Amino acid sequence: MKYLYFILILFLSMTVTVAQKKNSNGFGPFEGQKIILGSQKTVDIFNKIDKAWLERDFQTLESLLSEKLTWKSANGLSGVDAKSFIEWTKKDYQDIKAAGKDWGWKTVYAFAVKPTSSINPKPDNEYGEWVNAQFTGSDGNMYIDWYQIYKGKLINWYNAKAPN
């Protein structure tokens, strides 16, 4: 019976390894790292973040952020905690409204990816999954963001802007 369990476990681990190699589409920055598609669950968490941010529901937004969130906006501002991110988001809204501009955006797409294990010790990019999303701002600019989501919380956020 022990041999049957051993063979079953060996077969399952080989199947997962083959599936990862077969479904990989790209490479990561670390030796041996591949990229595979992530889960809809991670995209659903992104959708909650996006909705709370757009509606300025800061209580919900904060509940979806890691206390140790690392973030960097296209304008060069950055931080290393959820509190600074919320403060920046509130100020950004106030600055936009003070300039007489509209607040908002249209989310164009979002998808999740996940790096597979690298040969090196586990690097930071292997925790959770990453969502890539594109937005068209009410200012007409295009924004492309990366959201690293781990255990239901945003742990890293990077924002890029392509002026219109």
Side-chain angles (χ1 to χ4, degrees):
M1 192 68 159
K2 288 181 191 177
Y3 294 113
L4 181 62
Y5 286 124
F6 175 74
I7 291 170
L8 181 61
I9 290 171
L10 181 63
F11 175 75
L12 288 174
S13 66
M14 286 173 41
T15 303
V16 170
T17 302
V18 169
Q20 282 185 339
K21 286 181 181 177
K22 185 178 178 182
N23 294 327
S24 71
N25 185 22
F27 57 91
F30 299 98
E31 185 179 354
Q33 199 173 53
K34 301 289 184 189
I35 304 297
I36 60 175
L37 286 177
S39 67
Q40 182 60 42
K41 180 180 177 183
T42 301
V43 174
D44 292 343
I45 294 167
F46 157 78
N47 283 331
K48 290 177 185 178
I49 293 167
D50 187 43
K51 182 178 187 292
W53 194 342
L54 182 63
E55 295 175 355
R56 298 177 318 281
D57 178 355
F58 298 114
Q59 185 174 6
T60 299
L61 182 58
E62 191 167 12
S63 75
L64 297 166
L65 306 178
S66 165
E67 290 180 16
K68 297 179 181 179
L69 169 67
T70 301
W71 61 275
K72 184 168 182 141
S73 69
N75 64 9
L77 296 174
S78 62
V80 292
D81 60 13
K83 183 178 178 183
S84 66
F85 183 79
I86 295 292
E87 290 171 0
W88 169 76
T89 302
K90 288 178 179 179
K91 184 175 182 331
D92 187 49
Y93 171 74
Q94 292 168 352
D95 291 347
I96 289 169
K97 293 311 264 178
K101 298 178 182 176
D102 290 330
W103 166 262
W105 55 84
K106 178 181 185 258
T107 306
V108 178
Y109 70 74
F111 62 89
V113 296
K114 177 181 175 90
T116 64
S117 296
S118 64
I119 293 172
N120 297 324
K122 190 171 188 169
D124 287 343
N125 75 342
E126 290 182 15
Y127 291 95
E129 296 181 353
W130 292 81
V131 172
N132 176 259
Q134 179 181 327
F135 308 91
T136 302
S138 57
D139 59 3
N141 291 313
M142 178 179 66
Y143 298 86
I144 297 180
D145 295 0
W146 280 100
Y147 298 71
Q148 185 180 14
I149 298 171
Y150 179 61
K151 294 184 177 180
K153 302 272 186 172
L154 181 63
I155 63 173
N156 283 305
W157 175 75
Y158 302 99
N159 167 246
K161 174 180 161 184
N164 58 7

